[in-house]
Structures are given as C-alpha cells and as structure tokens.
Amino acid sequence: MSCSKPSMSLRRRTRAPQPAPGPDDVSCEQCGSGDSPAELLLCDKCDRGYHLFCLNPILSSVPKGSWFCPSCTSNSTTKKPKSFPLVQTKIIDFFRIQRSSEALQISNQDARKKRKRGSSLVVSKKRRKLLPFTPSEDPERRLQQMASLATALTATNTKFSNELTYIPGMAPRSANCPALERGGMQILLKEDTETLNLCKSMMERGECPPLMVVFDPLEGFTVEADRFIRDLTIITEYVGDVDFLKNRENDEGDSIMTLLSASDPSQTLVICPDKRSNIARFINGINNHTPEGKKKQNLKCVRFDVNGECRVLLIANRDITKGERLYYDYNGDEHEYPTEHFV
C-alpha cells in the first residue's frame, strides 16, 4: 500500500464567529488599509482596528469574547516564553517517561522483534513501508528537544498526552468507529502498525522524535527538524480530546483536526488538542494559495483504521534536512480552512 496519496479527506476545522463590521472610516493601524472588513478586529478598549493577518503573530481566526490590541495590553504574546528547566528529573516527570529498568525491558523486546523480522527469507512484492523516527544519539540533545516541547505546552497551558483521550460528556470511545467513515477508511497494515507502536514505545522511554519547538515572532510556536528525517518517517500522531464536530462548530480553536468524517454528520468526530496534546499541535500549516507556500510542505496528514480505531498520523512526504521547519496542508483535499494569510 502506498501512503503517498491519501484517499481520505483530511483537514483542520475552525468555526469562529465573524466580527461585526466597523465604521467606514476604520482602518488597520498596521497597514493603513480599511480593506477586508470581515478580518478587521476592533479593540474593545480603544476601538482601533487591526487585520487578523497584520497582527504579530497573526491570528488565524477571530477570538471569542473581548479582544485588546497590542497597545492596550502588555503584548506578552510576542515575548519568548520562559524556558522549561533543563533538569532530567523534571522532564521525566513531565512526560511520564518510564524508569530505566522498564525502558530496558521494552528496548530488549523491540530488539527481539527487529531480529525476528530481519531473519525472514520470504520474498514479497516491494511496497513503501512507513519508517520509525530516529532519535538523536546524544541524550543531552534529547533532553533539550523535550524541554522545548515542555516549554510550548506549559506556555499554552496544555498537558502532555501521546494518546487520544475520551472525556465524559464528550464523544465516547465507542463512537470512534472506522466503519462509519464516508467512503471507507484505509487500514494501517500490520507491519506499519508495529512501526507506529515502536514510535510510541520509544517516546515512553524518553527517545523522542528529533524535533525542536521554537518560538517565532510571526508564526508563534513552530517545529524544526533537529536532524535529517527520511521520506515516509512517522513524525507523530495527532492527539487530543475526541469530541463530536456538532459540539465544536463554534469553537475558536485553530487546531481542531478531523478524526472521522461520517456519512451521518452527527457522528463526525474531531480531535481537540487545546487541553491535552503532543508536538503535533505546534506543527504549522502552509499557505496553499501560493506556489511558494506549497513548496514548504514536507509532511502529509493521513487518517487510518488502526486495529478498529480511527487515528491521524503526520508522515514525512519527502526527505527533510536538519533545521527545516515542518509544514503540512491543513485542508488536505478540501479548501475549507483559511490559509491565505499564513506566513
């Protein structure tokens, strides 16, 4: 099975209310233009206007409730957040990493699985297999990578999670049924499922993906490759709280991901990473309205049936060099998410 051309429609969703148009003489304090009134925010204190895409960092959706311009606030959003302490015990506790004896046992199990697969003499038709990420060899560097993620999660008041979570009052686990997918959902083959599980077990023992979360004044938190990453490498799984889309139609979050696109719209599920998430939340989207934006895309987002449960994976769609920022198309096969003002 080739994973390079996902057949399913994948997208993030946003359903924020449109701002009320201001007076005709209101213009943006940054660009001086009164164009695009639907994207012109008025400060609730001074009534001055700012385009969503002229703010620093830009806003991809209209905030709920009151909004205050940079002049009327401390503008703390553009300041680099306080770094998470680079202390091994704190990082181990933050990510709930298994202690050395447990990690060694799992590592030995993984090694036995690798040897068993490698000894097979069966010749089969060649197909493109998913690859596990390769952690940085230097333990100190891995601590720095995890500290960068912990900094971003702490700054956004988000708890670390590497699994889909099912919260009472939201969608139950039983609702996550691939059979409900409109048009059917591709199944993650056994060998690729083992690769995904290997990535999960590596993360549990502190062998994280070779990624660094950095803070950019324009893009906010964003993710860079901290070593060379091969095409078809599993970068991470998109995780968070699972809910019905009907409960999130007016959610202001800009990181809600489709999990299940059901034939019955009332059964459609989304992943909400605002309270619990992993590094996937900080991987930014491309501007898919320009050729230059599309050239930056180096990840693809694919939904799979994994052992009877819908899952979303972010996978490298080409070789990625060290220092390159990671981007993927929020919309997939559709054009529902507004990306024209992305940097």
Side-chain angles (χ1 to χ4, degrees), residues 9-23:
S9 170
L10 307 163
R11 60 196 181 278
R12 288 188 177 191
R13 294 176 175 266
T14 181
R15 291 288 189 277
Q18 293 296 318

Side-chain angles (χ1 to χ4, degrees), residues 261-279:
S261 184
S263 301
D264 180 355
S266 68
Q267 296 177 312
T268 292
L269 300 178
V270 291
I271 303 171
C272 308
D274 54 321
K275 292 183 172 60
R276 280 160 286 273
S277 191
N278 60 10
I279 202 167

Side-chain angles (χ1 to χ4, degrees), residues 103-331:
L104 180 60
Q105 182 179 4
I106 294 177
S107 181
N108 290 337
Q109 291 172 351
D110 291 337
R112 286 195 295 271
K113 289 179 181 178
K114 287 182 180 179
R115 286 194 295 270
K116 184 177 180 180
R117 288 200 297 267
S119 63
S120 176
L121 297 177
V122 176
V123 178
S124 59
K125 183 179 178 181
K126 185 177 181 180
R127 68 176 183 86
R128 301 186 76 194
K129 296 180 291 186
L130 298 184
L131 304 174
F133 62 79
T134 304
S136 299
E137 293 87 353
D138 183 4
E140 183 66 23
R141 191 61 179 174
R142 294 202 300 268
L143 283 179
Q144 293 172 7
Q145 293 162 357
M146 288 186 285
S148 74
L149 174 56
T151 296
L153 291 170
T154 302
T156 55
N157 197 28
T158 307
K159 293 183 179 179
F160 173 74
S161 173
N162 214 28
E163 305 286 345
L164 294 175
T165 46
Y166 299 89
I167 306 300
M170 296 170 64
R173 184 182 292 272
S174 59
N176 186 357
C177 178
L180 300 176
E181 174 72 20
R182 183 176 61 247
M185 180 175 290
Q186 58 185 316
I187 298 174
L188 191 66
L189 299 183
K190 180 180 179 181
E191 192 168 8
D192 291 335
T193 300
E194 291 176 352
T195 300
L196 175 60
N197 292 337
L198 173 60
C199 291
K200 292 281 189 178
S201 64
M202 284 194 292
M203 188 67 192
E204 288 173 359
R205 59 178 181 259
E207 297 177 8
C208 59
L211 307 171
M212 193 74 75
V213 185
V214 298
F215 185 79
D216 184 281
L218 290 177
E219 298 187 29
F221 288 111
T222 188
V223 179
E224 294 180 352
D226 204 35
R227 66 173 295 166
F228 175 79
I229 298 174
R230 291 178 59 189
D231 182 22
L232 286 181
T233 294
I234 296 177
I235 301 298
T236 187
E237 180 179 354
Y238 205 97
V239 301
D241 296 339
V242 179
D243 201 1
F244 292 107
L245 173 62
K246 62 185 177 182
N247 297 337
R248 300 283 178 157
E249 286 286 356
N250 295 314
D251 196 298
E252 67 174 339
D254 62 356
S255 298
I256 297 178
M257 172 67 70
T258 300
L259 176 63
L260 168 66
S261 184
S263 301
D264 180 355
S266 68
Q267 296 177 312
T268 292
L269 300 178
V270 291
I271 303 171
C272 308
D274 54 321
K275 292 183 172 60
R276 280 160 286 273
S277 191
N278 60 10
I279 202 167
R281 180 183 179 185
F282 304 109
I283 299 176
N284 287 328
I286 62 165
N287 182 335
N288 56 20
H289 292 259
T290 66
E292 294 76 17
K294 292 181 181 179
K295 287 179 181 178
K296 294 196 302 184
Q297 181 177 351
N298 47 25
L299 300 185
K300 59 185 175 182
C301 176
V302 191
R303 291 183 293 132
F304 288 104
D305 173 350
V306 183
N307 296 326
E309 182 181 46
C310 303
R311 308 271 285 274
V312 180
L313 305 184
L314 296 182
I315 302 167
N317 66 359
R318 60 171 172 80
D319 289 347
I320 304 172
T321 59
K322 181 179 178 180
E324 190 176 346
R325 291 190 176 177
L326 306 186
Y327 297 96
Y328 67 102
D329 189 348
Y330 285 1
N331 290 287

